[in-house]
Amino acid sequence: MQRNLVGYGRNTPQIQWPGGARIAVSLVVNYEEGAERSTLDGDPHHETNNEVPSPVPAGDRDLNNESFFEYGSRVGVWRLMDMFRRYGVKSTFYCCALALERNPEVAREIPREGHEVCGHGYRWEEYHLMEREEERHSIARTVESLERTTGERSVGWFTRYGPSLNTRQLVVDHGGFIYDSIGMNDDLPYYVTVTGPDGNDTPWLVVPYSMETNDARFWRGGLSSVGAFYEYLQDTFDVLYEEGRTHPKMMSIGLHCRIAGRPARARAVERFLQYARQMPGVWFARRDEIARWWLEKYPPGTLG
């Protein structure tokens, strides 16, 4: 996991998206409900990453927060999928395997609606806290579970709050993956070098994600209103769309069923879809579609 503070630099590649699109918009739904920390699942404390600070002692059940998460799996996920269907857009679901085991109907519906199933860990947990072999086992368990519940083999990987020092190599070692999204450092996909299971260095594709255009900012106080969220999405789109006139770009939007699946916040997402859908040259793409396009059109070594 070497740092690269240069990237493409001033030589931003003049790439092409399908159909000559100026921007690739990647909608990501984080499906985590039922996989968060819970004393019911043997965790020493309840989930602490809450929208509202919890007054409940850490070792007790926080029933209010459990209910907050349940809204996402009971209501929010369906509101988002219905919206995507209305606007004819496909998304990527970052899927915690345990969450889908606990809601088989959602597990079946994600691929049925044409959305991508991307590995997001067996539970919504921090892989940077795991020992190497524990992480390896969790990756394998996630892949097996998601294939069983959804019928699809995930080809992408993203973990809660980023990777450990071992994550990328373990993903490559496991095989079957074509990209990860454990980077938030660019507006275009890029390659890194990873040591493969044979001991040789191999190029590896990163399709970067974003915490900027992400509804989690409601949690952390960065956004105080639905209008601000829409404006932030629109302004980000406008800048990248304008730059895309000569140098096409990519925009990631991170959503959570328990956050953007709420009525008012869903309206902000819908306004953005209405806005972006009216613009010519916009490619709404799953992340695996972006990855496959990049691997085919811009294989390692072709962009300098």
Side-chain angles (χ1 to χ4, degrees):
M1 298 290 293
Q2 298 297 318
R3 295 192 71 185
N4 182 339
L5 298 173
V6 177
Y8 293 117
R10 295 188 63 82
N11 301 312
T12 303
Q14 198 168 11
I15 60 103
Q16 291 185 338
W17 292 127
R22 293 169 59 165
I23 186 171
V25 177
S26 169
L27 295 165
V28 174
V29 178
N30 294 262
Y31 191 80
E32 301 152 345
E33 287 77 6
E36 75 277 8
R37 292 187 189 92
S38 168
T39 57
L40 287 176
D41 289 326
D43 295 311
H45 58 82
H46 58 70
E47 181 59 56
T48 56
N49 192 356
N50 307 332
E51 186 170 22
V52 178
S54 174
V56 178
D60 295 343
R61 288 183 64 186
D62 183 342
L63 300 181
N64 189 61
N65 194 51
E66 288 179 17
S67 183
F68 170 66
F69 272 82
E70 288 166 9
Y71 186 93
S73 61
R74 292 164 59 108
V75 182
V77 65
W78 302 112
R79 179 171 288 123
L80 291 176
M81 282 204 276
D82 288 347
M83 182 194 307
F84 296 158
R85 188 186 313 113
R86 289 197 305 273
Y87 288 92
V89 298
K90 305 303 179 185
S91 69
T92 292
F93 274 69
Y94 286 171
C95 298
C96 290
L98 179 60
L100 290 185
E101 288 179 5
R102 290 174 165 169
N103 197 335
E105 187 177 12
V106 171
R108 294 189 296 268
E109 195 68 13
I110 291 170
R112 183 181 297 147
E113 289 287 338
H115 305 300
E116 177 194 0
V117 175
C118 176
H120 192 33
Y122 185 73
R123 297 187 62 192
W124 193 44
E125 56 194 350
E126 292 94 336
Y127 278 65
H128 59 267
L129 298 177
M130 291 184 182
E131 297 294 333
R132 182 182 181 90
E133 290 310 308
E134 181 186 7
E135 184 175 5
R136 184 193 303 276
H137 172 73
S138 184
I139 291 171
R141 188 182 186 189
T142 301
V143 171
E144 183 279 327
S145 175
L146 290 178
E147 191 164 10
R148 174 165 38 85
T149 58
T150 70
E152 287 199 355
R153 167 58 164 94
S154 56
V155 297
W157 189 257
F158 181 79
T159 59
R160 178 176 181 174
Y161 199 73
S164 75
L165 295 177
N166 302 311
T167 301
R168 190 162 278 152
Q169 186 177 48
L170 291 174
V171 168
V172 173
D173 285 354
H174 187 277
F177 293 101
I178 63 173
Y179 78 94
D180 71 52
S181 288
I182 48 181
M184 303 186 187
N185 49 2
D186 215 300
D187 296 320
L188 287 174
Y190 60 89
Y191 293 100
V192 295
T193 300
V194 180
T195 302
D198 57 2
N200 294 322
D201 288 344
T202 182
W204 179 252
L205 182 63
V206 179
V207 181
Y209 189 47
S210 174
M211 288 301 296
E212 287 290 301
T213 43
N214 193 304
D215 65 5
R217 297 181 67 203
F218 282 107
W219 258 344
R220 298 170 176 86
L223 294 172
S224 58
S225 71
V226 170
F229 185 45
Y230 167 70
E231 290 176 7
Y232 204 90
L233 292 178
Q234 180 186 2
D235 286 347
T236 301
F237 176 91
D238 286 348
V239 171
L240 295 174
Y241 188 76
E242 175 59 28
E243 293 176 355
R245 184 176 59 82
T246 57
H247 293 78
K249 296 293 176 60
M250 170 185 158
M251 176 181 177
S252 295
I253 301 173
L255 306 172
H256 298 74
C257 305
R258 60 192 178 276
I259 304 176
R262 299 276 176 172
R265 291 169 181 170
R267 181 56 57 87
V269 178
E270 184 167 21
R271 286 174 181 163
F272 173 78
L273 292 179
Q274 291 171 344
Y275 177 76
R277 287 281 289 161
Q278 70 171 339
M279 308 292 281
V282 179
W283 181 37
F284 282 92
R286 301 170 13 156
R287 295 177 90 73
D288 61 339
E289 293 175 326
I290 293 171
R292 295 185 195 282
W293 176 268
W294 202 268
L295 288 164
E296 177 186 353
K297 301 297 181 180
Y298 307 103
T302 59
L303 294 178

